[in-house]
Amino acid sequence: VAVLFYACEVHKQNKLIAQSVAQEVLSNRPVMYHAGVDWSEKTPDGVPKKVKVNWENFGKSLAITVVTAGHIFVRSPGDTPPVDSDCDKNRIKLPKTGRTDAVALGAMAEPHWLPAEGEDLSDFKSSGKVLYVSGCIYYFGIDGKERYFSDLCVVWAPDAAQDFPTCDDPNRNYVW
């Protein structure tokens, strides 16, 4: 009976230790979030045709196997903001897009994104449409086991301020 009691106590303690370690890893995790989007090339009309996304590690540890995916999209005003086809937090395989081995605390991953296939910027200024930059970043914590995901959706319009404010969609721009 004493051996059975001892085995039960050891099992309880192992579960508590595992829970404590899991909480410590979670509280010390990396958190990649966009710290701004800048145009790096424009069309002759002044429309961004290549953008640089600044993904900063705001967390408390190194982010490893960092994979970014995203594009520029053109939509009519009032349309639902686009979601890049490579961005799904439940995706099993990581997309074969931009990859960085590691991003330290306070450091950045800075991918450059182009228009998605089929997106036409040629008559953008006269069309009254809105330009979106939509994408995501997948990354792992230092343990290499837990995968994290952050979403990005920003907008640009020729008649608004020339920065990239976040999309007006409460289900976007999150960290998971």
Side-chain angles (χ1 to χ4, degrees), residues 27-163:
S27 68
N28 288 318
R29 67 168 271 192
V31 176
M32 298 294 294
Y33 194 75
H34 68 91
V37 175
D38 303 309
W39 61 270
S40 50
E41 289 182 33
K42 288 187 174 187
T43 66
D45 291 350
V47 177
K49 67 177 184 178
K50 184 176 184 182
V51 295
K52 179 180 81 168
V53 180
N54 303 304
W55 289 103
E56 185 171 349
N57 184 353
F58 288 97
K60 295 184 178 181
S61 69
L62 186 70
I64 61 172
T65 313
V66 178
V67 178
T68 61
H71 289 95
I72 298 170
F73 298 89
V74 177
R75 296 292 181 269
S76 295
D79 283 359
T80 302
V83 176
D84 193 277
S85 60
D86 283 328
C87 296
D88 178 357
K89 70 179 178 184
N90 299 313
R91 184 185 181 115
I92 304 295
K93 286 185 150 189
L94 293 175
K96 295 181 190 272
T97 55
R99 178 184 167 150
T100 303
D101 289 333
V103 178
L105 264 137
M108 290 194 194
E110 299 175 325
H112 290 261
W113 294 344
L114 300 167
E117 190 173 325
E119 297 293 333
D120 184 12
L121 302 177
S122 61
D123 68 344
F124 177 79
K125 275 209 165 171
S126 62
S127 71
K129 294 192 175 186
V130 179
L131 184 138
Y132 289 94
V133 176
S134 178
C136 62
I137 187 168
Y138 300 89
Y139 52 101
F140 288 85
I142 194 77
D143 64 355
K145 296 178 184 175
E146 187 73 31
R147 185 174 82 180
Y148 303 105
F149 175 87
S150 298
D151 179 70
L152 164 75
C153 182
V154 296
V155 64
W156 183 89
D159 57 348
Q162 296 302 295
D163 57 356

